[in-house]
C-alpha cells in the first residue's frame, strides 16, 4: 500500500473518531471506534493502520490513537 493509501486510512479513521467522539462515555467511544473498524474494514486495511500506529500514528486524532492502542483491531 502506498503512502497515499495510509493517508486515506487515516482520514477515514479520523472520520469514524469524529462520530464516536461526540458520545459522553469515552470508554464506550474507544470500544465503538475499534469495533467499527473490526466489523467494517478488511484485514489488510486494519493491518496497515496498525502498522501506522506502531510508527507513531502521524495524523490520527488522539481518540483514534487511544482506541487503537487500547483495543487492537487485528
Amino acid at each position: 500500500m502506498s503512502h497515499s493509501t495510509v493517508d486515506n486510512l487515516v482520514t477515514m479513521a479520523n472520520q469514524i473518531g469524529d462520530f464516536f467522539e461526540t458520545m459522553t462515555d469515552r470508554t464506550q467511544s474507544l470500544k465503538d471506534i475499534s469495533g467499527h473498524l473490526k466489523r467494517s474494514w478488511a484485514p489488510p486495511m486494519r493491518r496497515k493502520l496498525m502498522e501506522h500506529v506502531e510508527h507513531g500514528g502521524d495524523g490520527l486524532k488522539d481518540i483514534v490513537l487511544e482506541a487503537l492502542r487500547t483495543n487492537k483491531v487485528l
Side-chain angles (χ1 to χ4, degrees), residues 20-68:
F20 288 109
E21 191 170 34
T22 63
M23 298 173 68
T24 55
D25 183 340
R26 187 170 178 89
T27 302
Q28 188 61 49
S29 294
L30 299 174
K31 290 178 186 176
D32 289 344
I33 290 167
S34 56
H36 179 85
L37 293 171
K38 286 178 188 176
R39 287 187 309 276
S40 303
W41 284 27
M45 294 169 67
R46 296 193 314 261
R47 276 193 298 275
K48 191 65 177 176
L49 185 62
M50 289 307 298
E51 285 174 17
H52 182 66
V53 168
E54 290 170 9
H55 291 99
D58 223 23
L60 286 168
K61 293 181 61 111
D62 290 340
I63 193 167
V64 176
L65 270 174
E66 187 178 348
L68 294 171

